[in-house]
Amino acid sequence: MLVSALIIFAVFLLIFGLVVFFDVRKAKKHNQKYHFGRAVTAFLLLLPATLFAFFFVLLPILYSLGYGFTDYYLTKPNATEFVGFDNFKAAFEEIAEGGDLAKAIKNTAIFVVVVVPLQIGLALLLALFCNNKNRGTVIFKVCFFAPVTVSLAVTAYLWKEILTGSETGLMNQFLALFGIPAQDFLRNDDTAMLWIVVASAWQGCGFQMLIFLSALTGIRKELYEAARMDGCNAFQRFLRVTLPGLKPTLVYIVITVFIGACRIMVQPYLMINVYADRNITISYYMYEQVFTSYRVGYSSAVAFLMTIFIGTITLIQRKFLGEKKR
Amino acid sequence: MAKLLLSNICKVYPSRDKQPSIFKRLFTKDKSKLKKPEDFVAVKNFNLEIEDGEFVVFVGPSGCGKSTTLRMIAGLEDITAGELYMDDVLLNNVDPMNRDMAMVFQSYALYPHLTAYDNIAFGLKIRKIEDTVTDKDGNTKTIKRHHTKAEIDEKVQWAAEILGIKELLGRKPSEMSGGQCQRVALGRAIVRGPKVFLLDEPLSNLDAKLRTSMRSEIVKLHQRLGTTFIYVTHDQIEAMTMGTKIVVMKDGVIQQVDKPTDLFLYPNNIFVAGFIGTPQMNFFDVVLKGDSSKVNLTLEDGETLALDAKKMRKINPEYLDNEEHNCVLGVRAEHLKIADKGINAVLSIFEILGTTTHLFMHLENQEKEFIVATDESRAWVHGDKFKLFFDEEKIHLFDKESGLSILEGAKK
Ligand SMILES: Nc1ncnc2c1ncn2[C@@H]1O[C@H](COP(=O)(O)OP(=O)(O)O)[C@@H](O)[C@H]1O
Ligand SMILES: [Mg+2]
């Protein structure tokens, strides 16, 4: 550990030294004076955050990547050996054979594709609904935001109770009012994922609503008035003033919600409680690989693949949604 | 053709203060102590006729209800009471998009994500136009359709040409200066050929030099288009230089509606007299006593101005009964002359502004200062004593209590 800390510090120093070196060169080129005192201050200010990031972000990532190339078995850490690309090969074989990983990817993909537009759309609707100065709306804001403040485990359990298969379940009692027979929502392969989507959109959208709300207040009132004078009706104003005004926020929200959705695990795990075809997601699969099958090396390889995949998609989203720079 | 008629228009904003809470209302015994939030009357009984093609300026100190009135005309603000007509059509409940007016905002209000071109074209793209077409059977009928790209381009280029912004059309608002943005905003307004232009302090965000040049450009634009302009400003110089009809407002009430020259020469009341003209008109409290031939005005320091009523504008006969009346004498700085005899005054400070010099004086034993504008150049010395001549033909007299002018107004 001490060795790695020293190495990290050395790397940090090296990077910082390079930055200073190039800055000095640039300053010389433009005939400006370079202030070493400021560089030292900057160095000291950057140090704590950098060390934190190295130890708690970069180091685990590097370790995890390293494990991906070993046969690290949770109960036999001392027998670990380097196995090259075997784990990655195994992962691709699993996908090709339609094994658990393939099902996990399919479930995760369905979840992401449905939950991202649903949650963001819901958040936008709620924000538009709350975006006025009537005193009553603060109550709605609190209600919509409340689920965000509640622990994921608690809300998962809450939804599990609502959707329980027995006739006493809240949802089934409600359906009974319309004469619909009791359903077992979470044990049904077709509806389980749908309800997981609903539960997580419900839990998450309050946060995005808040971000949308603050972005909405940033759109100037005169723009709406100008649009009215230009002949826009309410819907056209939304389309041509509100949406463009929200665009930078929207990009941020799409990316963060997408990344969050890719990592979905708590709701499928707690709402259904068994590791089954209908609810495994990629994160859930990795978790099972480590804590049930003890295959840390293999799980690390999968995690690494997933990181690359999410990173790629995020870059693509940024390219298509982001502001075009002139 | 667009003639506007504003008849008894009022605007009341509900108070923004909170109602006393329900607990307070329940537990306060003395109900009269509960303060009910009072509504705010922003515009009161506004009556105005605006002819087609006029350049009307609403002017007044900030907060006097100019914008509110303009926004009621635009339809952005509800009219609390009264009627607004355009060509005898009641507009009160007509949506802004159907009023065929265009507005230019103080903050430009350009769509930040669109280029100048798209900002100007915006209204054209949104609105449909009526067009008569002949189908293959030879029947003509009227249809509603969008502008074609070519039509839009032609109009945008036309507007850009007039405003001299052709080379800016590809830029976003963030890449333009304030003056350029305001030109684009004007372009957005003129391109649609609306019946009325509404401009709410369009030049306030520009620097002084640009303001002067844009001022004449807007006037030229008005002459070229011949459309009705309603222009709001708090700057009386802007109002005097641009308007063909000026509406002076204060606290939501019209003070005077007149041509610029008449406003300057024949102010209705003390407020208008003080608001129009720089430097501000000087006011003296006086006691008036006289008859139809001779009028004596006694100043606060006891000196008396003996004036020939024949030379003055005609005074309301009620005041010429040889009784004493408390009045206010108004005289502009350029109508006070240093002379051999007259009222005694002491110089306190002076400001030399090139050809003109502003002398800040006060009456002997009095503190209130007034300004004398003179073209004389000599070595002014603080504390020097002078005698002042009041130009009888140019003085104004107001009733002290009501503030209204007691002189005859302009001959119409
Ligand atoms: N939405 C509003 N609610 C309450 N009072 C308002 C509102 N808008 C303007 N006012 C008040 O009405 C008065 C006139 O405002 P305005 O027409 O904007 O003045 P100005 O002549 O400076 O343009 C001001 O005192 C202002 O505080
Ligand atoms: Mg205003």
Side-chain angles (χ1 to χ4, degrees), chain B residues 13 16 40 42 62-68:
Chain B
Y13 286 113
R16 268 177 272 185
F40 180 77
S62 151
C64 71
K66 311 175 295 281
S67 298
T68 305

Side-chain angles (χ1 to χ4, degrees), chain A residues 158-324:
Chain A
L158 192 77
W159 278 95
K160 191 182 160 196
E161 286 302 305
I162 291 175
L163 297 170
T164 187
S166 74
E167 279 168 16
T168 53
L170 200 60
M171 189 58 88
N172 276 332
Q173 283 189 37
F174 178 70
L175 291 182
L177 293 178
F178 305 97
I180 301 171
Q183 313 274 322
D184 203 347
F185 305 99
L186 297 176
R187 295 228 178 93
N188 183 333
D189 278 0
D190 295 331
T191 55
M193 216 36 179
L194 179 77
W195 286 106
I196 290 170
V197 165
V198 170
S200 25
W202 170 82
Q203 161 122 47
C205 69
F207 187 67
Q208 282 84 39
M209 172 195 77
L210 218 59
I211 300 175
F212 274 133
L213 265 176
S214 79
L216 282 175
T217 45
I219 302 177
R220 293 214 323 274
K221 214 177 88 238
E222 302 95 85
L223 292 182
Y224 288 102
E225 296 181 341
R228 281 180 79 180
M229 299 300 294
D230 272 338
C232 290
N233 57 31
F235 181 66
Q236 287 169 319
R237 290 201 292 278
F238 171 75
L239 223 57
R240 289 167 185 273
V241 178
T242 313
L243 273 190
L246 289 181
K247 197 176 160 199
T249 315
L250 199 64
V251 173
Y252 164 78
I253 285 182
V254 167
I255 289 174
T256 50
V257 171
F258 168 79
I259 293 175
C262 287
R263 303 186 338 207
I264 179 74
M265 145 116 209
V266 176
Q267 282 97 341
Y269 178 57
L270 290 179
M271 278 169 70
I272 293 179
N273 255 348
V274 284
Y275 177 81
D277 284 357
R278 65 179 182 279
N279 72 329
I280 38 174
T281 61
I282 301 176
S283 296
Y284 196 179
Y285 173 81
M286 295 186 311
Y287 173 84
E288 280 288 315
Q289 288 300 321
V290 173
F291 295 103
T292 312
S293 313
Y294 303 143
R295 296 166 71 194
V296 179
Y298 173 70
S299 188
S300 296
V302 175
F304 186 69
L305 290 176
M306 180 172 158
T307 307
I308 289 182
F309 177 74
I310 294 179
T312 314
I313 299 278
T314 305
L315 284 179
I316 293 172
Q317 283 173 338
R318 272 184 64 133
K319 197 160 169 61
F320 279 97
L321 295 175
E323 279 290 301
K324 282 181 202 73

Side-chain angles (χ1 to χ4, degrees), chain A residues 221, chain B residues 13-16 40-43 60-69 71 77 200-201 232 234 249:
Chain A
K221 214 177 88 238
Chain B
Y13 286 113
S15 165
R16 268 177 272 185
F40 180 77
V41 182
V43 177
S62 151
C64 71
K66 311 175 295 281
S67 298
T68 305
T69 312
R71 292 163 54 79
E77 205 78 66
D200 192 350
E201 313 222 9
V232 162
H234 64 266
M249 295 178 68

